[in-house]
Amino acid sequence: MSLQVVLRAGRAVRGRLPLSSVCHGARAVHGAALRSTGRRSLLVAAGAAVTAGLVAGYGHLQRADMASVDHGEDLDRRVAAFMAPPVTELERLRRSGGDMKTRMELLIMETQAEVCRALEEADGGAGFTVDRWQRTEGGGGVSCVLQDGNVFEKAGVNVSVVYGYLSEESIQQMRSRGKDLKTKDDWGHGQPVLGFGEEFPQMGPHRTSIADGAVETGPRGKLPFCAMGVSSVIHPKNPHVPTIHFNYRYFEIEEADALTSGNKQWWFGGGTDLTPTYLNLEDVVHFHQTLREACDQHNPGFYPKFKKWCDDYFFIKHRGERRGVGGIFFDDLDSLSKDKLFQFVKSCAKAVVPCYVPIVNKHKNDSFSPEEKMWQQLRRGRYVEFNLVYDRGTKFGLATPGSRIESILMSLPLTARYVLYYCTFSKKGAFGM
């Protein structure tokens, strides 16, 4: 694909993506964009927005169908393929097979295992360190991290299944997104808290199981919640292999009037997005086409809607830049039935390996210069800025009592650079930031 095609696409959407600041206010241009291998690439800071409109008209991407396992099949065999035992006890999962929390926990554990094994195969050297942890306030998780591999500098794939009571900060954060969360100052006083007690009997110091016929008080003004998800960020060594992030989650909140109304708020969230250091148009099309196919199985309107949401969400406001070339992103999704949305989330999760690993295998042995490595380090600094300043998951995790900080900050790379002014010149031209 010619450089002129990329440039024309970039001009067509110029203005959607402010470019990075460079020396003396110049636009960022990387002199090594035309590499000796003949592969033409552009600095992603100058081209992230070219994904708009690129997917339509490209050939159908053939990818292997990952067969799902229904809960009615042998649960023991399914669990045996996980990286670690599920957070919830196996017998409890077996008893509550039709419950959405059970279905989602099994899906995220399965997704974690599929992604980890695909990354280990692509790396060809290092394996994942598995850490199964418990949260005192309720729940726990499984953290899988690969570091200093042949291909990946750091790859983390985490599962968390946590429950307890929302902090005031979390409640306010959700209300700011339009959630109408009902609390009572005397919440739970003299009444059982329905829904979570039987499944999660360790849900707090004031909690007992409803199955025991007990009536127990809960903390005043608090809302019981259950949240679970799989989250991953993968930082490769080679600057021509992009970074990927994905997260798929399910949330339930039991409102203050649940005793009489049985009302629980629930929603799904998630997405997958790509952040290259250098823009390769074929890779971007492959990535977006795979996600589009996953979305189109359920609703042809999902992809354009969630792609725009992704473009808008992963925006570094203080830099005036988008973080990468986008993907899909959605949150507070509750407009359809639980089952329909679960099937949609499942399709998106199953698309992670085919949308990313072929790109890794394509470029993991590409040659690169010290200047290109330096640019990767500088671009990673932007990644860190977004995750620490704007990311909802980071904010929620840090605001949740008993959070596991190491898992929350798993998204940060091993190495990154911050330089006040970065401007250097090569024989091929200027590149800077």
Side-chain angles (χ1 to χ4, degrees):
M1 190 164 296
S2 69
L3 179 61
Q4 287 74 21
V5 171
V6 177
L7 291 175
R8 284 198 298 271
R11 285 194 292 270
V13 295
R14 187 175 298 159
R16 289 192 60 197
L17 174 62
L19 304 182
S20 305
S21 299
V22 297
C23 297
H24 308 297
R27 295 290 187 184
V29 180
H30 198 305
L34 297 179
R35 305 182 62 231
S36 59
T37 59
R39 179 171 63 82
R40 287 161 170 81
S41 57
L42 287 177
L43 201 165
V44 66
V50 303
T51 58
L54 291 177
V55 173
Y58 283 85
H60 179 78
L61 175 66
Q62 299 297 324
R63 59 183 174 88
D65 179 31
M66 296 183 178
S68 62
V69 181
D70 293 330
H71 185 79
E73 298 185 27
D74 184 4
L75 182 61
D76 293 330
R77 179 169 54 84
R78 186 177 181 185
V79 169
F82 296 167
M83 300 298 288
V87 176
T88 304
E89 295 176 1
L90 191 58
E91 287 306 312
R92 181 166 286 125
L93 292 174
R94 203 184 308 276
R95 291 197 305 267
S96 57
D99 183 80
M100 183 53 67
K101 293 186 289 297
T102 295
R103 297 172 68 189
M104 189 66 182
E105 181 171 351
L106 293 175
L107 173 63
I108 60 181
M109 293 293 299
E110 194 167 68
T111 301
Q112 180 187 53
E114 290 172 353
V115 173
C116 286
R117 293 195 171 94
L119 295 179
E120 286 179 336
E121 182 177 354
D123 190 87
F128 278 88
T129 298
V130 180
D131 179 19
R132 189 174 187 272
W133 50 273
Q134 296 292 321
R135 176 174 173 265
T136 303
E137 291 79 1
V142 178
S143 296
C144 298
V145 178
L146 182 156
Q147 290 189 172
D148 294 319
N150 295 331
V151 175
F152 303 109
E153 180 180 286
K154 182 180 179 183
V157 189
N158 288 348
V159 160
S160 62
V161 179
V162 297
Y163 46 88
Y165 296 96
L166 286 176
S167 67
E168 183 61 30
E169 183 177 350
S170 295
I171 293 174
Q172 293 305 320
Q173 181 185 346
M174 292 175 184
R175 283 174 172 163
S176 71
R177 305 200 318 257
K179 290 293 180 186
D180 182 18
L181 301 178
K182 300 175 183 178
T183 62
K184 291 182 180 179
D185 289 340
D186 59 349
W187 158 240
H189 183 68
Q191 297 177 346
V193 182
L194 296 181
F196 298 130
E198 183 175 358
E199 297 143 15
F200 306 121
Q202 297 177 338
M203 192 165 169
H206 305 288
R207 195 72 162 178
T208 56
S209 172
I210 302 171
D212 297 333
V215 175
E216 187 59 74
T217 60
R220 292 176 180 271
K222 297 293 185 180
L223 290 178
F225 81 98
C226 177
M228 57 189 66
V230 57
S231 179
S232 175
V233 178
I234 301 163
H235 295 289
K237 287 184 172 181
N238 193 311
H240 297 287
V241 179
T243 289
I244 191 174
H245 157 263
F246 73 88
N247 176 290
Y248 292 99
R249 57 194 179 272
Y250 175 70
F251 215 104
E252 278 191 11
I253 296 178
E254 184 177 291
E255 292 191 291
D257 61 352
L259 183 65
T260 55
S261 70
N263 186 33
K264 291 183 186 177
Q265 289 206 36
W266 59 267
W267 63 88
F268 292 90
T272 304
D273 63 279
L274 196 71
T275 305
T277 302
Y278 293 91
L279 182 66
N280 181 290
L281 191 57
E282 292 179 359
D283 296 344
V284 175
V285 171
H286 167 94
F287 177 79
H288 277 271
Q289 183 66 28
T290 308
L291 294 180
R292 181 169 198 160
E293 290 175 2
C295 293
D296 285 353
Q297 295 177 41
H298 304 273
N299 187 319
F302 278 174
Y303 174 77
K305 178 179 179 180
F306 298 149
K307 179 190 178 298
K308 183 181 185 304
W309 200 340
C310 185
D311 290 339
D312 294 339
Y313 177 75
F314 290 105
F315 184 75
I316 309 172
K317 296 178 183 177
H318 61 275
R319 297 285 190 182
E321 300 172 3
R322 284 183 169 83
R323 191 175 77 174
V325 296
I328 57 172
F329 175 85
F330 54 90
D331 204 357
D332 303 321
L333 201 60
D334 60 1
S335 56
L336 300 174
S337 69
K338 280 186 183 181
D339 185 67
K340 287 183 177 180
L341 292 176
F342 172 78
Q343 295 300 331
F344 165 64
V345 168
K346 182 177 180 179
S347 294
C348 293
K350 296 293 183 183
V352 170
V353 170
C355 81
Y356 181 62
V357 172
I359 298 174
V360 174
N361 290 330
K362 178 181 176 183
H363 297 295
K364 64 184 180 182
N365 295 318
D366 286 1
S367 61
F368 57 89
S369 68
E371 292 82 8
E372 289 170 324
K373 186 65 177 179
M374 171 68 81
W375 185 248
Q376 178 197 52
Q377 299 293 294
L378 292 167
R379 294 307 305 167
R380 279 184 180 173
R382 298 292 207 262
Y383 205 93
V384 171
E385 288 177 29
F386 179 88
N387 281 24
L388 293 181
V389 177
Y390 301 112
D391 187 72
R392 288 183 184 179
T394 301
K395 290 182 177 181
F396 174 78
L398 295 177
T400 301
S403 297
R404 193 169 191 267
I405 304 303
E406 290 80 6
S407 295
I408 296 170
L409 300 181
M410 172 274 299
S411 62
L412 303 182
L414 286 183
T415 60
R417 282 179 179 264
Y418 292 86
V419 179
L420 182 59
Y421 297 108
Y422 180 67
C423 190
T424 187
F425 294 86
S426 69
K427 294 180 181 179
K428 296 181 180 179
F431 65 101
M433 186 182 217

